[in-house]
Each structure stands twice: as C-alpha cells, then as structure tokens.
C-alpha cells in the first residue's frame, strides 16, 4: 500500500467517525435515514443533518483534491489539469468531479486509440483477427 492509499483509507474512516454521530442524533430525534427527501430537506436547516453533510462533503472534497492532483499526473494528463479541476471544485465538487471524469475518460480513450493506430498490424492489440 502506498501513501495515497493510506490517505484514502484514513479519510474514509475519518468520514465515518466524524459524520455518523450527527446522523445518529438526527435519527434519535425522529429522522428517517432511508428517506432522502427528508434527510436532504433537513440538511437545509441548521442542526445535525447539516453538520453531517458539511463534514461529509469536506472530507470528500479533500479526497477529490488529492486524487485528482495525483491521478492527472499518473495517467499522463499533467499536473496543470489537476490544478484546473481543483479550482473548478471551488465552484462545486458535484460539478467538478463529473466533469473531471468525462475529461479523464476521453483522455484515456484517446490514448487507447493512439495505441491501436500505432500497433503493428499482426499485433494482438491492433484489433486484427488471428487464426
């Protein structure tokens, strides 16, 4: 396991430990965790649900930042793209994350296309049927 993996595991554990006490308090006051309309509706009001969602989102945002900064370098997009998506996350992680996934998937698909085009004609990766 590398440092990044350890960070993700610690962040996930911290999210569980830091968020669920608020959820238990809310459920103790009569909230139904299986009713997302009620849960997110109550999240607008100050109190346990809002605290749960705030802490949960904060941890998810930090994990997103670490992941996108390391992932863009790892897959060859470059750190500048990681910085772009970190900056976009200030608008909203719920916007930046799906946009990053689209750009990432297109980048990886383009690499797959380039690899297929440069593969030797008799290569198993060229798409040719072998007998």
């Amino acid at each position: 396991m590398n440092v990044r993996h350890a960070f993700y595991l610690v962040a996930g554990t911290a999210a569980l430990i830091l968020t669920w006490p608020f959820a238990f308090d809310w459920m103790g006051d009569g909230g139904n965790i299986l009713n997302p309309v009620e849960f997110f509706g109550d999240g607008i009001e100050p109190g346990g649900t809002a605290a749960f969602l705030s802490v949960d989102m904060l941890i998810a945002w930090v994990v997103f930042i670490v992941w996108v900064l390391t992932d863009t370098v790892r897959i060859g997009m470059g750190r500048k793209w990681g910085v772009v998506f970190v900056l976009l996350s200030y608008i909203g992680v719920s916007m930046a994350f799906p946009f990053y996934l689209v750009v990432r998937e297109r980048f990886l698909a383009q690499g797959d296309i380039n690899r297929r085009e440069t593969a030797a004609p008799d290569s198993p990766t060229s798409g040719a049927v072998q007998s």
Side-chain angles (χ1 to χ4, degrees):
M1 176 171 24
N2 63 34
V3 173
R4 190 168 27 105
H5 294 168
F7 168 76
Y8 294 152
L9 291 172
V10 168
T13 303
L16 181 67
I17 292 168
L18 295 172
T19 59
W20 275 93
F22 297 110
F24 290 136
D25 288 345
W26 178 74
M27 288 184 288
D29 291 339
N32 178 0
I33 198 83
L34 299 177
N35 182 345
V37 173
E38 179 185 356
F39 181 75
F40 286 102
D42 282 354
I44 295 170
E45 301 295 322
T49 306
F52 172 93
L53 292 170
S54 296
V55 172
D56 191 57
M57 194 65 236
L58 175 64
I59 293 169
W61 185 37
V62 170
V63 170
F64 172 77
I65 289 170
V66 170
W67 179 65
V68 79
L69 288 174
T70 58
D71 190 57
T72 52
V73 172
R74 184 180 61 83
I75 66 173
M77 283 176 66
R79 184 158 313 274
K80 70 176 179 170
W81 279 107
V83 171
V84 166
F85 283 100
V86 166
L87 293 174
L88 285 176
S89 74
Y90 280 85
I91 297 170
V93 177
S94 61
M95 182 271 309
F97 186 47
F99 284 5
Y100 174 67
L101 291 177
V102 169
V103 171
R104 181 185 194 277
E105 291 303 312
R106 288 182 176 188
F107 176 81
L108 292 173
Q110 186 63 39
D112 288 344
I113 290 169
N114 291 340
R115 281 190 293 279
R116 281 194 297 266
E117 289 174 353
T118 60
D122 294 335
S123 159
T125 59
S126 69
V129 177
Q130 296 187 357
S131 47

